[in-house]
């Protein structure tokens, strides 16, 4: 029989031992620790002093509409809520279905909800935000507790996937169709989010197709896709956006109104085409990492060419390149700010425009810090999501 | 339904909706050449190229709508053409893209604090309408600095935005006056203001309208507006006004004469408030002609602009005359009209309207 001896030490003692072995193991490490601590302390002090004492956040509070919706017409403002509610429902439900919220995650969620309420909840918006919170919470509880049996789980997951796939078209229809806002009036972070979502959903399949094309054995396909990828990657995104703005209307043939397409749509197309080229190269790297034996084995069991590609090669290739892919998508999320040169007022543009109001002169630090915060939150969420995806696909374990 | 089929249905739905939205939202495009007036009338909206970051002239309000002196002239054009000042589609433009946007037909008229110069008029194929605001470069210093004129600034450090004509004008003026100085350049007005507040420079040069705006909002913690003064000298000419494309006379005439009408109304004392009274009982033939109403039972004069003879009634009712536009937008940023170049010519300024008859 084995007896476990548990030595109980006081927490203070444990902390001291940990610090000694990790932070002060020798003179050099001790010096590094002290310098780093001083640096961290200084930065934290400056930041905290600015955020809580020096900053006047009224510029953000007063301009929250400009920052989040840009020039979106006021009479259509109510239209933004149904997509938000659907998003809340799906987010809550998915968290219940696929993930588990630990204490830290719950704390982060509570803090962000309180922050959002403090900033945005005024009048009717408070109630609407409340609906979103209730929907998310209800969906989470229902998904985690309310589903009895495997079949119900599977059905709920299918519904959630279909819901996510339909979220973007739903949002676009609600915002724009049936006498809604002109697309050129979409703005603020709403525009950044729409642009990024559309571009992600369009660029991923495009990138995979381009990568397959470049790896194809047909010379025509290979040359065309290679030429496309190299051309698109050869010029900066800002140049392509200018092309979309000034050149496309003169070049495109006037069939299907191609030459009169709206500016926001042109920006979406350009972002998708541009990101597609980069994704193609990432996916190509993934394709090369799939062992030839996989293809041979698939042939041996009698799979056809399409099935080999779609079921054997591409899934494994994508699984291998998730980190690079997500990094590209995060970069795309931030590149959406470039549309401000097309005369669109995105989240960053709206933030910067706010300091041209006379009462908010000199408040640039506040709005920029806030905009940076919003970008960070979304980018971080994308990064966490990809980590979760990697874990569930067993990347780096198998 | 299997997971795959659910996904396929979703993808098809997205594609279908995408097509529908594309068909519904496609925008009109006007060719650069030809008759913009007809195109504007067909479209039902004026596309106006504007700035979103010039206090008092063109900026975004918290509710996401544009406001400012330049914006009011966009509204005046829309009011004249459609009788509705809200029929404007604003296109925010950077300084670099503005002429390209005009030339390629993305906008109908450019009203974005744009200075009238020879090369822009000729090279960039733009036509400048009447000057609506006379700006000019000035110098702001601390009130207690003892500097009263540019010649007092020998060996001073001057804060200026980089890559602007402002920087070039500064150099021209100081070299011409043989005044040694040190320029300190910045990307944005915000960083520049910070440097000036920290006394890293003795002078701050920019267009006077913008200096006045910054001065009026100078934070009390740094001494407030009285801690600063703007020197009297103006060392560059910046006549600002609406711009249209070359060879587009019908449209140019409309834009030009709407702006002139706004100035004329100021000269004649017609405001948005006394409009009804002036309309029913015009005190002079000039007023009657401006408003497109008969004078003492006579004929209604029509200038042949291709828009209704009563266009100025709508402009005045919805936007107001020059003084109203000025007082609404420019006075609040700390720039009184009296005694400046932008006073009426009757009061020693330069704002002068050719006769409307």
């Amino acid at each position: 029989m084995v007896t476990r001896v548990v030595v109980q030490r006081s927490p203070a003692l444990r902390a001291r031992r940990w610090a000694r072995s990790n932070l002060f193991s020798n003179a050099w490490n001790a010096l590094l620790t002290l310098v780093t601590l001083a640096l961290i302390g200084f930065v934290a002090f400056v930041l905290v002093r600015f955020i809580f004492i020096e900053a006047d956040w009224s510029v953000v509070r007063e301009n929250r509409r400009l920052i989040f919706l840009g020039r979106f017409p006021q009479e259509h403002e109510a239209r933004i809520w149904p997509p938000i509610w659907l998003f809340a429902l799906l987010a809550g439900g998915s968290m219940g279905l696929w993930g588990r919220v630990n204490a830290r995650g719950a704390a982060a969620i509570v803090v962000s909800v309180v922050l959002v309420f403090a900033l945005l909840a005024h009048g009717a918006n408070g109630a609407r935000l409340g609906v979103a919170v209730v929907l998310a919470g209800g969906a989470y509880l229902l998904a985690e507790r309310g589903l009895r049996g495997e079949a119900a789980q599977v059905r709920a997951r299918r519904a959630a996937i279909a819901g996510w796939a339909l979220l973007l078209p739903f949002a676009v229809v609600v915002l724009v169709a049936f006498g809604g806002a002109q697309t050129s009036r979409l703005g603020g972070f709403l525009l950044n989010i729409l642009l990024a979502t559309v571009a992600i959903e369009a660029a991923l399949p495009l990138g995979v197709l381009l990568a397959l094309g470049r790896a194809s054995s047909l010379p025509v396909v290979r040359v065309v896709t290679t030429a496309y990828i190299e051309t698109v990657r050869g010029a900066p995104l800002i140049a392509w956006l200018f092309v979309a703005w000034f050149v496309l209307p003169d070049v495109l043939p006037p069939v299907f109104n191609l030459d009169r397409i709206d500016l926001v749509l042109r920006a979406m197309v350009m972002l998708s085409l541009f990101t597609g080229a980069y994704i193609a190269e990432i996916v190509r790297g993934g394709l090369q990492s799939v062992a030839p034996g996989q293809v041979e084995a698939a042939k041996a069991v009698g799979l056809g060419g399409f099935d080999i590609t779609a079921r054997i090669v591409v899934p494994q290739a994508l699984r291998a390149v998730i980190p690079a892919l997500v990094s590209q998508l995060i970069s795309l999320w931030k590149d959406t700010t470039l549309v401000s040169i097309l005369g669109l007022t995105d989240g960053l543009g709206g933030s910067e425009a706010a300091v041209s109001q006379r009462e908010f002169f000199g408040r640039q630090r506040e709005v920029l810090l806030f905009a940076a915060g919003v970008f960070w939150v979304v980018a971080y969420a994308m990064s966490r999501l990809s980590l979760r995806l990697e874990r569930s696909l067993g990347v780096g374990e198998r | 339904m299997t997971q795959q089929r659910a996904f396929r249905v979703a993808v098809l739905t997205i594609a279908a909706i995408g097509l529908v939205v594309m068909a519904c939202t496609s925008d009109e495009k006007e060719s650069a050449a030809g008759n913009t007036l007809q195109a504007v009338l067909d479209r039902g909206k004026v596309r106006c190229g504007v700035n979103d970051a010039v206090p008092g002239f063109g900026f975004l309000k918290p509710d996401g709508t544009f406001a400012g002196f330049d914006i009011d002239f966009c509204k005046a054009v829309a009011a004249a053409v459609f009788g509705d000042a809200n029929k404007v589609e604003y296109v925010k433009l950077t300084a670099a893209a503005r002429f390209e946007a005009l030339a390629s037909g993305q906008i109908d008229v450019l009203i974005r604090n744009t200075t009238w110069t020879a090369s822009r008029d000729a090279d960039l194929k733009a036509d400048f309408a009447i000057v609506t605001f006379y700006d000019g470069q000035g110098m702001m210093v601390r009130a207690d600095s003892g500097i009263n004129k540019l010649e007092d600034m020998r060996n001073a450090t001057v804060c200026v935005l980089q890559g602007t004509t402002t920087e070039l004008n500064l150099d021209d003026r100081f070299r011409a006056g043989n005044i040694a100085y040190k320029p300190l350049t910045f990307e944005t007005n915000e960083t520049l203001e910070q440097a000036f507040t920290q006394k890293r420079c003795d002078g701050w040069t920019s267009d006077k309208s913008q200096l006045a705006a910054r001065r009026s909002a100078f934070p009390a913690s740094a001494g407030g507006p009285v801690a600063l003064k703007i020197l009297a000298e103006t060392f560059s000419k910046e006549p600002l006004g609406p711009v249209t494309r070359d060879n587009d006379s019908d449209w140019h005439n409309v834009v030009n004469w709407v702006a002139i009408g706004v100035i004329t109304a100021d000269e004649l004392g017609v405001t948005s408030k006394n409009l009804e009274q002036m309309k029913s009982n015009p005190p002079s033939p000039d007023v009657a002609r401006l408003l497109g109403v008969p004078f003492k039972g006579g004929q209604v004069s029509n200038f042949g602009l291709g828009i209704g003879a009563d266009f100025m009634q709508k402009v005045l009712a919805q936007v107001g005359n020059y003084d109203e536009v000025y007082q609404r937008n420019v006075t609040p940023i700390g720039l009184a009209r009296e005694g400046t170049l932008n006073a009426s010519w009757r009061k020693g300024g330069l704002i002068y309207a050719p006769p409307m008859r």
Side-chain angles (χ1 to χ4, degrees):
Chain A
M1 197 173 146
V2 184
T3 335
R4 266 215 194 123
V5 180
V6 181
V7 181
Q8 283 284 351
R9 289 201 191 91
S10 76
L13 196 65
R14 250 189 306 171
R16 246 169 60 194
R17 277 179 62 102
W18 181 87
R20 192 175 302 159
S21 63
N22 286 294
L23 300 176
F24 299 98
S25 55
N26 59 38
W28 174 240
N29 275 355
L31 183 70
L32 267 184
T33 301
L34 288 178
V35 169
T36 314
L37 275 183
L39 216 67
I40 292 174
F42 175 72
V43 171
F45 171 71
V46 169
L47 211 62
V48 166
R49 188 182 56 177
F50 177 73
I51 291 176
F52 292 102
I53 298 168
E54 290 177 351
D56 177 0
W57 294 102
S58 60
V59 58
V60 173
R61 211 168 36 244
E62 292 297 314
N63 284 289
R64 58 188 186 276
R65 197 185 173 286
L66 183 59
I67 293 172
F68 283 100
L69 298 182
R71 301 184 46 226
F72 196 74
Q74 242 162 344
E75 63 265 33
H76 297 309
E77 213 175 291
R79 287 172 180 254
I80 66 164
W81 288 99
I84 290 178
W85 290 333
L86 180 57
F87 173 82
L89 191 71
L90 289 168
S94 302
M95 236 182 281
L97 283 171
W98 279 284
R100 291 283 171 273
V101 178
N102 57 18
R104 223 166 32 158
I109 289 172
V110 168
V111 167
S112 32
V113 167
V114 168
L115 270 180
V116 170
F117 260 101
L119 184 70
L120 301 177
H122 291 258
N125 281 350
R128 288 164 176 159
L129 215 55
V131 171
V133 172
V134 169
L135 280 174
Y140 175 76
L141 288 179
L142 188 71
E144 210 200 3
R145 307 264 159 79
L147 295 173
R148 295 269 170 269
E150 189 74 7
Q153 276 272 338
V154 171
R155 241 177 296 138
R157 288 187 179 193
R158 271 181 210 151
I161 291 173
W164 281 115
L166 288 172
L167 175 60
L168 175 69
F170 175 71
V172 171
V173 166
V174 169
L175 291 174
V176 177
F178 308 115
Q182 269 180 303
T183 48
S184 58
R185 296 286 296 273
L186 292 170
F189 279 110
L190 173 71
L191 177 65
N192 295 94
I193 290 169
L194 282 177
L195 284 173
T197 323
V198 169
I200 287 172
E201 292 190 7
L204 275 176
L206 175 70
V208 171
L209 286 180
L210 285 171
L212 290 172
R214 196 165 181 177
S216 161
S217 53
L218 303 170
V220 179
V221 176
R222 204 171 52 231
V223 167
V224 169
T225 49
T226 307
Y228 172 84
I229 292 169
E230 296 305 336
T231 312
V232 170
R233 287 201 308 169
L237 178 56
I238 208 162
W240 289 117
L241 288 174
F242 268 122
V243 166
W245 197 12
F246 293 130
V247 183
L248 279 192
D250 294 336
V251 175
L252 284 174
V255 282
F256 304 125
N257 291 336
L258 271 183
D259 56 338
R260 306 189 317 190
I261 288 175
D262 176 82
L263 203 56
V264 171
L265 219 55
R266 274 185 262 168
M268 284 175 178
V269 170
M270 271 302 161
L271 281 170
S272 311
L273 295 180
F274 188 80
T275 308
Y278 279 86
I279 288 181
E281 286 300 280
I282 294 173
V283 174
R284 196 165 66 94
L287 290 177
Q288 285 167 352
S289 78
V290 178
Q294 295 281 328
V295 178
E296 284 155 20
K299 276 187 186 149
V301 298
L303 283 183
F306 178 80
D307 280 336
I308 293 178
T309 308
R311 288 164 190 272
I312 306 292
V313 178
V314 170
Q316 295 190 63
L318 287 181
R319 203 179 68 109
V321 295
I322 290 175
L325 219 47
V326 171
S327 165
Q328 184 64 42
L329 298 182
I330 288 177
S331 147
L332 165 68
W333 157 242
K334 289 173 297 179
D335 280 348
T336 55
T337 52
L338 288 177
V339 298
S340 68
I341 60 152
L342 300 186
L344 302 169
T345 303
D346 74 320
L348 186 61
S351 306
E352 284 183 325
V355 290
S356 292
Q357 298 157 8
R358 190 176 164 276
E359 52 275 45
F360 298 124
F361 279 176
R363 294 275 157 234
Q364 197 154 21
R365 282 178 300 180
E366 283 87 345
V367 287
L368 287 182
L369 194 66
F370 181 76
V374 175
F375 278 109
W376 182 83
V377 165
V378 175
Y380 186 68
M382 286 165 85
S383 143
R384 297 298 301 185
L385 216 59
S386 96
L387 275 183
R388 177 150 279 175
L389 191 65
E390 279 173 45
R391 230 177 301 147
S392 71
L393 292 176
V395 179
E397 289 165 21
R398 286 189 249 168
Chain B
M1 202 156 64
T2 65
Q3 197 153 326
Q4 253 182 326
R5 254 190 50 210
F7 187 71
R8 246 179 251 167
V9 169
V11 167
L12 280 178
T13 321
I14 294 170
I17 292 173
L19 277 177
V20 171
V21 169
M22 216 160 108
C24 297
T25 59
S26 28
D27 242 317
E28 289 155 76
K29 165 209 158 197
E30 273 70 47
S31 62
N35 191 338
T36 304
L37 176 58
Q38 195 53 51
V40 169
L41 286 169
D42 291 345
R43 191 188 319 122
K45 280 206 165 176
V46 179
R47 281 198 187 143
C48 198
V50 299
N51 199 327
D52 71 344
V54 183
F57 287 82
F59 65 98
L60 277 167
K61 291 196 294 183
D63 64 0
T65 57
F66 279 101
F69 184 85
D70 284 348
I71 307 300
D72 275 354
F73 279 92
C74 294
K75 289 182 177 168
V77 171
V81 176
F82 303 112
D84 183 352
N86 291 320
K87 294 205 166 164
V88 187
E89 208 180 302
Y90 298 100
V91 181
K92 176 200 85 178
L93 295 170
T94 60
R98 56 186 161 176
F99 286 103
E100 182 58 40
L102 182 68
S104 67
Q106 306 281 336
I107 55 171
D108 303 313
V109 56
L110 174 69
I111 313 186
R112 187 199 174 279
N113 52 305
T114 303
T115 304
W116 183 11
T117 69
S119 60
R120 284 173 175 176
D121 207 333
D123 252 12
L124 295 174
K125 308 267 179 275
D127 264 357
F128 285 78
I130 193 165
V131 174
T132 53
F133 193 89
Y134 290 90
D135 213 336
Q137 194 169 335
M139 180 73 72
M140 183 155 70
V141 295
R142 274 178 287 276
D144 58 8
S145 64
I147 298 172
N148 293 310
K149 54 185 189 298
L150 289 178
E151 275 68 21
D152 295 342
M153 298 192 74
R154 216 163 285 281
N155 299 321
T157 307
V158 179
C159 281
V160 59
L161 289 185
Q162 60 182 226
T164 58
T165 48
T166 316
E167 199 182 349
L168 301 176
N169 290 332
L170 173 73
D171 199 51
D172 283 357
R173 174 63 183 86
F174 276 64
R175 268 199 310 185
N178 256 329
I179 311 167
Y181 78 108
K182 215 174 86 199
L184 196 58
T185 60
F186 293 90
E187 275 285 351
T188 66
N189 265 321
E190 305 302 325
T191 43
L192 193 155
E193 175 163 347
Q194 216 171 352
F196 186 77
T197 312
Q198 292 163 357
K199 307 198 174 174
R200 283 171 58 199
C201 46
D202 309 295
W204 174 354
T205 184
S206 182
D207 283 349
K208 277 190 163 178
S209 62
Q210 296 313 305
L211 287 180
R214 294 282 158 183
R215 177 176 179 272
S216 74
F218 203 61
S221 57
V226 289
L228 303 176
K229 70 176 173 191
I230 298 172
L231 301 185
E233 180 173 340
T234 304
F235 50 96
S236 81
K237 293 188 196 173
E238 314 283 350
L240 313 176
V243 192
T244 64
R245 274 183 290 280
D246 257 354
N247 301 321
D248 198 1
S249 299
D250 289 350
W251 176 241
H252 183 82
N253 290 343
V254 169
V255 172
N256 199 12
W257 285 95
V258 167
I260 293 172
V262 170
I263 296 170
T264 307
D266 178 31
E267 289 178 2
L268 297 173
V270 187
T271 68
S272 58
K273 289 174 191 69
N274 65 19
L275 174 67
E276 287 307 315
Q277 179 198 338
M278 291 281 195
K279 210 164 71 183
S280 49
N281 189 16
S284 70
D286 279 341
V287 172
R289 275 193 289 269
L290 175 74
L291 298 177
V293 293
F295 183 69
K296 298 206 156 101
Q299 282 234 305
V300 173
S301 63
N302 189 333
F303 311 124
L305 287 170
I307 51 178
D310 60 349
F311 69 97
M312 278 312 296
Q313 290 181 26
K314 289 156 188 161
V315 173
L316 289 167
Q318 297 177 36
V319 182
N321 71 21
Y322 186 89
D323 196 58
E324 291 178 285
V325 171
Y326 191 102
Q327 304 299 351
R328 181 164 56 232
N329 297 297
V330 186
T331 306
I333 62 167
L335 209 59
R337 191 178 170 209
E338 289 309 306
T340 68
L341 294 179
N342 298 299
S344 170
W345 61 281
R346 293 180 198 278
K347 294 177 182 167
L350 289 179
I351 297 298
Y352 175 101
M356 288 189 87
R357 56 185 310 141

